[in-house]
Amino acid sequence: MKREFSKKSKIFIAGAHGMAGSAICRKLKEKGYLNLLTPKKSELNYLDLDKTVNWFEKNNPDNVILAAAKVGGILANKSNPADFILENIKIQNNIIETSWKKNVKKLLFLGSSCIYPKLSKQPIDEESLLTGPLETTNESYAIAKIAGIKLCNALRTQYDFNAVSLMPTNLYGPGDNYDNNTSHVLAALIQRFYRAKKQSMNSVTCWGSGNPYREFMHVDDLGDATVFTLENWDPNSDNAPKDKNGDPLLHLNIGTGEETTIKDLAERIATLVGYEGEIIWDKSKPDGTIRKLLNTEKINALGWKSKINLEDGLESTISQYIFEKN
């Protein structure tokens, strides 16, 4: 296998200061990859193509990990659909196209499990992509991510550009966003129950019925999976995952293989925070997709599996959150 990714590589992590990017940087450093390019937003605006091209010409990265994205929960996605599709497509196109034109040796694009149809057969395999309608509450974000996957695939097909994609499940852990208006469900529940305990509130109201199932993965598992696939996954090799037609798969699911209801998650978080009040479910608010469990057989067959279970991950995440608040 050609060494497109090595300890000597100059590696650009777009979004290095976000939750996913930070975890990837931690794992890269742990494994001895020290030549990392991690510009802050003030140094490089990914929405500006000219500035992106100039930065590439100045820094000349060998590899690119595209973890930068505009992200948010159901409320943010429903309220700002134009922002989610416009900004994410601009970020992706600018970085992916520039990487190709500047002869980057290998690019890895991070997508999301929301790319799959709302009513996908469970667990969801990679070939479910574009087989049905998307969940409407995050459709704009999903369409942008699908466009990123397809751009990577098209550049590989037409120009032999070495680009691959990973589809992680719902993430949590260090660096998560706890803003009340833009956070994802797990972080939103942590800050909500923590605030309720501090203010001695009698009840906490949560969105939806609590019945949907979700899969949650600690972000350090994503960091581990990212480095693993960069080191071990060449779609053109004989042992690489294939689709049902025997053709190479160019995107792989990353998850834990385990799921829990939102109601169970809320109760677990309340217990870990020490909140003993009532939990009220506001069924007038959307649930989103009822079930979204990823099939991770392909990445597992390559030799990678999730290591951090939800119980341990929640405990460490909540402990850190409380420590930072006090």
Side-chain angles (χ1 to χ4, degrees):
M1 186 171 71
K2 293 185 295 183
R3 301 304 299 169
E4 298 101 346
F5 184 77
S6 71
K7 295 291 194 301
K8 296 180 180 179
S9 296
K10 190 185 294 186
I11 306 167
F12 168 36
I13 302 95
H17 303 281
M19 178 172 66
S22 295
I24 292 167
C25 288
R26 287 195 295 273
K27 179 55 67 170
L28 285 167
K29 291 175 183 177
E30 178 186 314
K31 298 204 69 176
Y33 295 90
L34 302 178
N35 198 0
L36 308 183
L37 304 175
T38 59
K40 296 179 180 179
K41 287 184 179 180
S42 58
E43 301 173 79
L44 174 56
N45 179 3
Y46 306 132
L47 296 170
D48 188 314
L49 178 58
D50 290 337
K51 290 181 180 178
T52 301
V53 171
N54 290 338
W55 186 91
F56 268 75
E57 290 175 346
K58 180 179 178 181
N59 293 278
N60 194 30
D62 299 305
N63 306 118
V64 173
I65 300 171
L66 179 40
K70 179 178 178 62
V71 298
I74 288 178
L75 177 60
N77 274 271
K78 284 191 67 178
S79 303
N80 307 287
D83 293 346
F84 274 87
I85 194 166
L86 273 173
E87 290 188 28
N88 280 303
I89 285 180
K90 284 181 181 179
I91 290 167
Q92 295 161 192
N93 285 358
N94 289 348
I95 294 175
I96 295 170
E97 182 181 9
T98 306
S99 296
W100 160 57
K101 288 184 173 179
K102 298 303 176 183
N103 299 311
V104 162
K105 295 176 182 177
K106 190 168 191 176
L107 178 141
L108 185 145
F109 172 66
L110 279 187
S112 166
S113 60
C114 73
I115 63 165
Y116 295 115
K118 179 176 182 176
L119 301 178
S120 294
K121 180 181 176 181
Q122 304 290 319
I124 307 169
D125 62 33
E126 286 84 353
E127 291 174 89
S128 296
L129 182 62
L130 296 178
T131 59
L134 299 164
E135 162 59 40
T136 56
T137 56
N138 58 13
E139 185 179 70
S140 289
Y141 179 75
I143 288 172
K145 287 296 184 181
I146 292 169
I149 298 166
K150 291 301 183 179
L151 175 58
C152 287
N153 295 359
L155 288 171
R156 175 182 281 272
T157 299
Q158 187 171 346
Y159 297 107
D160 199 29
F161 178 55
N162 189 9
V164 293
S165 304
L166 296 182
M167 301 302 113
T169 190
N170 303 287
L171 301 172
Y172 70 96
D176 207 345
N177 170 27
Y178 292 94
D179 182 270
N180 195 46
N181 294 317
T182 59
S183 60
H184 289 100
V185 61
L186 192 148
L189 290 172
I190 290 175
Q191 65 91 11
R192 194 168 297 174
F193 284 114
Y194 175 79
R195 186 178 71 248
K197 176 177 170 57
K198 294 289 286 186
Q199 297 177 2
S200 300
M201 296 168 59
N202 293 324
S203 65
V204 170
T205 299
C206 299
W207 275 35
S209 66
N211 295 325
Y213 282 81
R214 286 292 181 272
E215 176 184 18
F216 295 97
M217 183 172 69
H218 194 282
V219 72
D220 283 345
D221 268 342
L222 172 65
D224 187 54
T226 300
V227 179
F228 175 88
T229 50
L230 284 166
E231 292 179 336
N232 297 282
W233 177 32
D234 174 5
N236 294 325
S237 67
D238 292 337
N239 68 336
K242 306 291 193 295
D243 64 20
K244 292 181 177 65
N245 297 319
D247 296 321
L249 273 173
L250 301 179
H251 70 277
L252 293 180
N253 292 338
I254 306 295
T256 65
E258 299 179 0
E259 58 186 344
T260 185
T261 65
I262 300 300
K263 186 173 292 185
D264 178 65
L265 177 70
E267 291 170 354
R268 288 197 203 192
I269 291 173
T271 297
L272 288 169
V273 168
Y275 177 73
E276 298 178 350
E278 182 183 6
I279 302 175
I280 299 171
W281 293 94
D282 181 358
K283 296 180 182 179
S284 70
K285 296 295 192 294
D287 271 332
T289 303
I290 297 303
R291 193 175 176 217
K292 193 171 66 170
L293 178 67
L294 293 183
N295 184 334
T296 58
E297 290 178 354
K298 302 296 188 185
I299 186 70
N300 295 161
L302 277 177
W304 183 87
K305 287 189 178 181
S306 170
K307 299 178 179 67
I308 304 171
N309 63 47
L310 184 58
E311 183 177 354
D312 292 340
L314 276 180
E315 187 171 348
S316 64
T317 299
I318 291 171
S319 294
Q320 181 177 359
Y321 177 82
I322 294 174
F323 173 79
E324 291 175 353
K325 283 291 184 181
N326 293 329

